[in-house]
Amino acid sequence: MSESSQRVANFRVHLVPAVLALANPPWQRDVWLDPSTFEDLDHIFHTLFDDFCDADHPDRYLGISLRTEEEVDLVRQLGRALNAAEAEAPNDTDAEYLQATAWPEVVAVAGRLAQVMVANDLGELVSVHEAKPTDES
């Protein structure tokens, strides 16, 4: 695996689970609304906006944590939806976000993005597997 591919994989190990979490409302309620758990929506925001991407301006992450223009476009849509939900959460609590009228759009876009990201990652795994020399002994 090339150094560039390894870097993308290292970023996506964090990014894909964050997107999957946004696509799963039952999990959000079970985890983010439970004060005894470590992960919360703030962690997701940091992953998507600060640490492994910039959901407001994802173009520069193409080839770094995003594989395709389609992923870039969907991350941009997800950023807009998250910002709309944030505007409806004056106290910045996870419960407020989940009740926001914009939240169903967050879940829908995250679902589409998760599907694309997982398919792209599986395609990358297949290409890495096919590139390995086979032992014909």
Side-chain angles (χ1 to χ4, degrees), residues 95-110:
E96 287 177 325
Y97 280 94
L98 299 183
Q99 294 299 315
T101 59
W103 198 254
E105 180 67 11
V106 169
V107 172
V109 173

Side-chain angles (χ1 to χ4, degrees), residues 5-48:
S5 293
Q6 184 65 44
R7 183 183 64 220
V8 171
N10 288 339
F11 274 52
R12 287 174 80 90
V13 156
H14 301 280
L15 190 57
V16 172
V19 172
L20 289 167
L22 288 171
N24 188 338
W27 188 89
Q28 295 163 9
R29 288 187 298 275
D30 291 347
V31 175
W32 296 342
L33 300 182
D34 180 352
S36 69
T37 61
F38 169 74
E39 187 176 318
D40 57 12
L41 189 52
D42 189 53
H43 169 77
I44 302 300
F45 267 87
H46 282 292
T47 299
L48 289 169

Side-chain angles (χ1 to χ4, degrees), residues 15 27 38 43 52 62 66 81-82 104 108-110 114 126 132:
L15 190 57
W27 188 89
F38 169 74
H43 169 77
F52 301 100
L62 183 60
L66 303 172
L82 284 166
V109 173
V126 167
K132 287 186 178 182

